[in-house]
């Protein structure tokens, strides 16, 4: 434990908070391919807002934390942590290219006796069947003889300042019992609420992928309920509040399901099942339901406009929020873009307002122009797509930018009911 030196590969939403935390107990180097990202971090600012500037600056100035794009600077480490994205491709199949690339990087610098721990979300078997062979090939070392591995799934919730990396309970695992114990001790050295040591890497991988798949399926159920109760003329939230009085009712809300985890992980599990000859009906049905909610919101909004006699063609519509969740700048796999594209089919004028998102990043990623300031013009309709705190506090401002005859669709249910025309 005293000789542990940690190298974290990938300094995004997952890797940076973890690397900063490790640096408080162990010499730590963070590695990332993005030079601009590394340069910004070394000035003491995290654009993702996951690590406070004072904590990052303290790690740099008092704990010797270093971020780099130079692979040679992580060569002296002996405990490598891989925290790179694991997205899906255009066909919803797992895209393991970032993991393969990170494994190649580890293979270039790993030495005998070293440990590599993967944090990226995968399906059971990826660490040992997909990643480790790459490390072996590049390094020339033999797995479980010359070097060892583990898996400790990330549980970062972007924008959540309560369940931070140091306060959550982490799952750990290792490629043999001795290594599992070492990995568990390293993580326990920096965690407040400890760990759960899984009996194998595959069990740890499976546990991670079902955490978010479960949530995805539950939200899909409530999205379906919302569609049904809307047809019945019943407010879904009223129904949920009433049912929620039963002691074992699991209370959730309908909504858009985006981001890097909940809307992606089910595809990893589904493909794994399909490879084994099983078609996962519930998992994929949940995905279809949730992937269609953006278009559903757009179509419901247009119906409400027509019912009020508002001319839809060339009307002015404001979408409030673009990030995948509230109070954070994360735009990864946001499903608000589905509302945007569905509305485009009606030949309307769309303005997207989000005080948190980076306009240039949104333009590059989605080809959509957004603004960070509330527009001054008058709109026929406003869709509150994200529950940013600014939207919760700006009821008067919303009214002030709407025409006398207007529609408000509140996707997140954050505005007073009497103020809105529709919600999920």
């Amino acid at each position: 434990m005293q000789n542990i030196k940690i190298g974290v590969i990938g300094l995004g939403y997952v890797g940076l908070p973890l690397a900063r935390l490790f640096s408080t107990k162990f010499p730590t180097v963070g590695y990332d391919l993005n030079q601009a990202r590394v340069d910004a971090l070394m000035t003491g600012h995290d654009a993702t807002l996951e690590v406070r500037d004072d904590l990052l600056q303290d790690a740099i100035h008092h704990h010797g934390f270093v971020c780099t794009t130079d692979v040679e600077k992580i060569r002296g480490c002996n405990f490598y942590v891989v925290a790179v994205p694991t997205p899906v491709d255009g066909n919803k199949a797992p895209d393991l290219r970032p993991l393969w690339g990170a494994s190649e990087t580890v293979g270039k610098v790993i030495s005998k006796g070293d440990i590599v721990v993967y944090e990226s979300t995968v399906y059971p078997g990826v660490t040992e069947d997909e990643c480790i062979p790459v490390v072996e090939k590049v390094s020339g070392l033999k797995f479980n003889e010359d070097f060892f591995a583990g898996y400790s799934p990330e549980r970062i919730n972007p924008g959540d300042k309560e369940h931070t990396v140091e306060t959550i309970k982490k799952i750990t695992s290792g490629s043999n019992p001795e290594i599992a114990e070492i990995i568990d001790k390293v993580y326990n050295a920096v965690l407040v609420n400890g760990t759960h040591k899984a009996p194998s890497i595959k069990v740890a991988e499976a546990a991670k992928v079902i955490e978010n798949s479960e949530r995805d399926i539950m939200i899909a159920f409530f999205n379906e309920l919302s569609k049904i109760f809307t047809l019945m003329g019943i407010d879904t939230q009223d129904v949920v509040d009433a049912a929620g009085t039963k002691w074992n009712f699991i209370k959730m809300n309908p909504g858009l399901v985006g981001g890097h985890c909940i809307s992606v992980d089910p595809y990893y599990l589904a493909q794994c099942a399909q490879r084994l000859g099983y078609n996962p009906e519930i998992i994929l049905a949940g995905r279809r339901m949730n992937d269609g909610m953006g278009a559903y919101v757009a179509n419901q909004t247009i119906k409400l406009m027509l019912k009020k006699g508002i001319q839809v063609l060339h009307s002015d519509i404001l979408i409030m929020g673009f990030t995948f969740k509230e109070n954070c700048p994360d735009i990864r796999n946001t499903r608000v873009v589905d509302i945007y594209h569905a509305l485009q089919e009606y030949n309307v004028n769309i303005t997207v307002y989000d005080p948190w998102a980076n306009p240039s990043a949104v333009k590059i990623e989605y080809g959509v122009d957004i603004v960070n300031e509330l527009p001054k013009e008058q709109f026929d309709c406003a869709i509150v797509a994200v529950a940013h705190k600014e939207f919760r506090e700006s009821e008067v401002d919303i009214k002030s930018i709407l025409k006398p005859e207007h529609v408000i669709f509140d996707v997140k249910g954050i505005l007073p009911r009497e103020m809105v025309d529709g919600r999920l």
Side-chain angles (χ1 to χ4, degrees), residues 164-177:
T164 57
V165 64
E166 56 261 55
T167 61
I168 60 174
K169 190 167 188 173
K170 284 272 281 171
I171 297 171
T172 64
S173 63
S175 53
N176 66 40

Side-chain angles (χ1 to χ4, degrees), residues 12-76:
Y13 283 84
V14 173
L16 180 67
L18 186 66
R20 195 285 308 173
L21 182 61
F22 273 139
S23 75
T24 62
K25 296 290 184 179
F26 307 100
T28 303
V29 180
Y31 173 82
D32 199 281
L33 295 172
N34 188 333
Q35 186 67 56
R37 170 71 170 161
V38 166
D39 291 343
L41 292 177
M42 289 307 292
T43 68
H45 176 66
D46 170 27
T48 70
L49 306 181
E50 288 303 303
V51 176
R52 296 201 322 261
D53 287 358
D54 61 320
L55 292 178
L56 180 57
Q57 290 162 16
D58 180 67
I60 293 170
H61 299 306
H62 297 113
H63 298 290
F65 177 49
V66 174
C67 302
T68 183
T69 57
D70 183 359
V71 71
E72 290 302 314
K73 290 187 178 178
I74 60 171
R75 185 177 293 280

Side-chain angles (χ1 to χ4, degrees), residues 322-383:
F322 194 83
T323 60
F324 95 85
K325 65 176 295 186
E326 66 272 13
N327 305 327
C328 78
D330 197 344
I331 61 170
R332 290 175 295 175
N333 199 29
T334 176
R335 300 300 5 125
V336 180
V337 74
D338 297 337
I339 300 176
Y340 181 90
H341 288 315
L343 288 175
Q344 281 185 313
E345 297 179 11
Y346 292 96
N347 288 330
V348 298
N349 303 314
I350 308 168
T351 300
V352 181
Y353 159 54
D354 193 312
W356 287 81
N358 182 318
S360 61
V362 172
K363 184 67 173 178
I364 292 169
E365 182 70 21
Y366 297 100
V368 174
D369 294 306
I370 74 164
V371 294
N372 290 137
E373 299 291 334
L374 187 67
K376 301 299 182 185
E377 60 261 37
Q378 298 288 294
F379 292 91
D380 297 287
C381 171
I383 299 175

Side-chain angles (χ1 to χ4, degrees), residues 185-368:
K185 285 181 177 178
V186 170
Y187 276 91
N188 264 303
V190 296
L191 297 175
V192 174
N193 292 315
T195 62
H196 172 89
K197 188 166 63 173
S200 70
I201 288 175
K202 284 185 174 68
V203 167
E205 291 170 326
K208 169 59 182 176
V209 81
I210 71 165
E211 289 172 16
N212 291 320
S213 296
E214 176 191 56
R215 186 164 174 81
D216 189 47
I217 291 166
M218 289 299 297
I219 296 173
F221 173 60
F222 280 82
N223 278 335
E224 186 162 70
L225 292 180
S226 176
K227 290 184 176 183
I228 294 169
F229 293 138
T230 296
L231 290 171
M232 293 179 174
I234 303 172
D235 187 279
T236 306
Q237 192 58 57
D238 287 344
V239 178
V240 173
D241 288 343
T245 60
K246 186 169 188 249
W247 64 90
N248 61 351
F249 181 80
I250 301 172
K251 189 174 179 179
M252 299 188 77
N253 295 311
L256 305 176
V257 183
H260 68 299
C261 283
I262 298 177
S263 60
V264 173
D265 295 358
Y267 289 120
Y268 276 70
L269 185 57
Q271 186 178 87
C272 184
Q274 288 167 335
R275 285 179 176 176
L276 296 171
Y278 179 80
N279 188 49
E281 297 179 12
I282 294 175
I283 293 171
L284 292 178
R287 280 283 73 234
R288 287 192 297 272
M289 172 61 67
N290 289 340
D291 276 349
M293 290 307 290
Y296 174 77
V297 167
N299 293 334
Q300 288 297 110
T301 301
I302 295 300
K303 286 181 181 178
L304 290 169
M305 292 176 68
L306 291 172
K307 285 181 179 179
K308 280 196 168 184
I310 299 173
Q311 172 68 38
V312 171
L313 186 65
H314 303 311
S315 61
D316 297 307
I317 298 179
L318 176 68
I319 297 177
M320 300 178 66
F322 194 83
T323 60
F324 95 85
K325 65 176 295 186
E326 66 272 13
N327 305 327
C328 78
D330 197 344
I331 61 170
R332 290 175 295 175
N333 199 29
T334 176
R335 300 300 5 125
V336 180
V337 74
D338 297 337
I339 300 176
Y340 181 90
H341 288 315
L343 288 175
Q344 281 185 313
E345 297 179 11
Y346 292 96
N347 288 330
V348 298
N349 303 314
I350 308 168
T351 300
V352 181
Y353 159 54
D354 193 312
W356 287 81
N358 182 318
S360 61
V362 172
K363 184 67 173 178
I364 292 169
E365 182 70 21
Y366 297 100
V368 174

Side-chain angles (χ1 to χ4, degrees), residues 32-160:
D32 199 281
L33 295 172
N34 188 333
Q35 186 67 56
R37 170 71 170 161
V38 166
D39 291 343
L41 292 177
M42 289 307 292
T43 68
H45 176 66
D46 170 27
T48 70
L49 306 181
E50 288 303 303
V51 176
R52 296 201 322 261
D53 287 358
D54 61 320
L55 292 178
L56 180 57
Q57 290 162 16
D58 180 67
I60 293 170
H61 299 306
H62 297 113
H63 298 290
F65 177 49
V66 174
C67 302
T68 183
T69 57
D70 183 359
V71 71
E72 290 302 314
K73 290 187 178 178
I74 60 171
R75 185 177 293 280
C77 298
N78 53 23
F79 191 99
Y80 295 95
V81 179
V82 174
V84 296
T86 44
V88 291
D89 62 21
N91 296 317
K92 306 296 186 183
D95 182 358
L96 300 180
R97 287 176 298 176
L99 268 181
W100 291 330
S103 298
E104 287 182 7
T105 299
V106 172
K108 292 175 183 176
V109 296
I110 200 167
S111 301
K112 284 192 175 184
D114 291 356
I115 297 171
V116 54
V117 179
Y118 288 85
E119 289 233 355
S120 306
T121 300
V122 294
Y123 53 81
V126 168
T127 298
E128 293 157 295
D129 300 339
E130 295 283 350
C131 299
I132 294 306
V134 175
V135 178
E136 283 187 309
K137 181 179 179 181
V138 176
S139 68
L141 301 176
K142 188 162 181 61
F143 177 49
N144 262 353
E145 290 184 17
D146 300 322
F147 75 96
F148 307 90
Y151 184 76
S152 180
E154 59 89 3
R155 281 175 168 168
I156 292 294
N157 185 22
D160 188 339

